[in-house]
Amino acid sequence: MSLNLTGVTLTYPDGDTRLTALDRVGLDVPKGSLTAVVGPSGSGKSSLLAVAATLTAPDTGTVTVDGTPTTGMTRGELTELRRHKIGIVFQQPNLLPSLTAAEQLQVMAQIDGRKPRAARNRAMELIDAVGLTGQAGRRPHQLSGGQRQRVNIARALMNDPVVLLVDEPTSALDHERGAAVIDLITRLTRRQGTATVLVTHDRTHLTAADRIAEVRDGRLRLPATLR
């Protein structure tokens, strides 16, 4: 398994008590597979993603990324793990307005120490993979919402992560563009061999998922295997 959560519990202060966001959650996501996580607002989806991304430490339980348990890691070690092993696609692309589509990706590689030529080659490879070959030189204001989200996805893959975590990628898109983005994530999951977790409130695009996991009141259920 590339991503494994075992017995994960997460609570937050709530007045004199604590609110349980995740309750003994277990999840295995193999390489090259897509697990969609659905559930109503406030059910624990965002908390699950934050724990899987090692951005939030659980109260109990373990998170293992590509065979490496994250329990006890320092903040710096977790940062390095995310840089090399985890790609995160946030709900909003948050692209830098002054950079072209290709440059958005190159910055990620250069931060990681890649040489400019290697960074450029990898960026163009991914720009092509997400169907934006003719848009590589355009800045965010020159791209549609769907195109910006595609750049966002390509950027998350720039450092060849083994785990890809995607947060509500279709929330700002119409149905047709949303379906295209989900199809892209599915295809890239197979091609890149990532262990992908897709958090969404929209079930209409999920026929290509390997599994759909439902979160309710902090508890995770795996009701169906779709493939």
Side-chain angles (χ1 to χ4, degrees):
M1 298 293 178
S2 284
L3 176 66
N4 174 268
L5 278 65
T6 304
V8 167
T9 295
L10 177 67
T11 63
Y12 295 109
D14 184 29
D16 294 331
T17 61
R18 295 188 70 85
L19 178 68
T20 300
L22 298 174
D23 186 5
R24 294 165 292 177
V25 165
L27 180 65
D28 291 319
V29 186
K31 294 180 180 179
S33 72
L34 172 64
T35 295
V37 178
V38 299
S41 297
S43 61
K45 300 191 305 298
S46 295
S47 295
L48 175 64
L49 208 64
V51 168
T54 73
L55 295 170
T56 300
D59 297 8
T60 61
T62 59
V63 177
T64 302
V65 177
D66 198 29
T68 302
T70 62
T71 304
M73 281 188 170
T74 65
R75 184 176 299 180
E77 289 170 338
L78 289 172
T79 298
E80 283 296 302
L81 180 74
R82 285 192 295 272
R83 184 179 297 168
H84 296 288
K85 298 285 188 178
I86 302 174
I88 305 173
V89 179
F90 294 103
Q91 187 171 344
Q92 299 298 327
N94 295 321
L95 303 178
L96 297 171
S98 62
L99 299 184
T100 66
E103 289 168 347
Q104 308 281 344
L105 278 62
Q106 289 173 252
V107 165
M108 299 299 295
Q110 289 168 359
I111 290 173
D112 199 40
R114 290 196 195 186
K115 294 181 179 180
R117 179 176 294 181
R120 173 72 178 175
N121 290 342
R122 177 60 174 160
M124 294 309 297
E125 177 185 327
L126 285 170
I127 288 290
D128 180 64
V130 300
L132 292 177
T133 303
Q135 316 298 325
R138 295 197 171 193
R139 289 177 170 79
H141 74 277
Q142 298 172 306
L143 301 172
S144 69
Q147 288 171 335
R148 288 193 293 271
Q149 192 62 283
R150 286 169 177 263
V151 174
N152 191 22
I153 294 165
R155 181 175 59 181
L157 293 168
M158 190 63 187
N159 290 334
D160 301 307
V162 295
V163 173
L164 181 64
L165 305 173
V166 188
D167 185 16
E168 299 280 8
T170 64
S171 61
L173 304 177
D174 61 31
H175 181 82
E176 183 177 353
R177 289 174 179 166
V181 165
I182 295 298
D183 179 66
L184 173 64
I185 291 168
T186 303
R187 286 190 287 106
L188 289 175
T189 292
R190 316 292 187 225
R191 184 185 303 177
Q192 304 287 330
T194 58
T196 300
V197 178
L198 168 68
V199 167
T200 182
H201 67 281
D202 187 353
R203 296 171 180 259
T204 60
H205 302 309
L206 300 183
T207 55
D210 295 287
R211 292 187 301 177
I212 296 179
E214 183 176 17
V215 181
R216 285 191 177 273
D217 300 322
R219 295 186 176 181
L220 186 71
R221 296 187 302 166
L222 292 165
T225 297
L226 300 183
R227 289 172 60 88

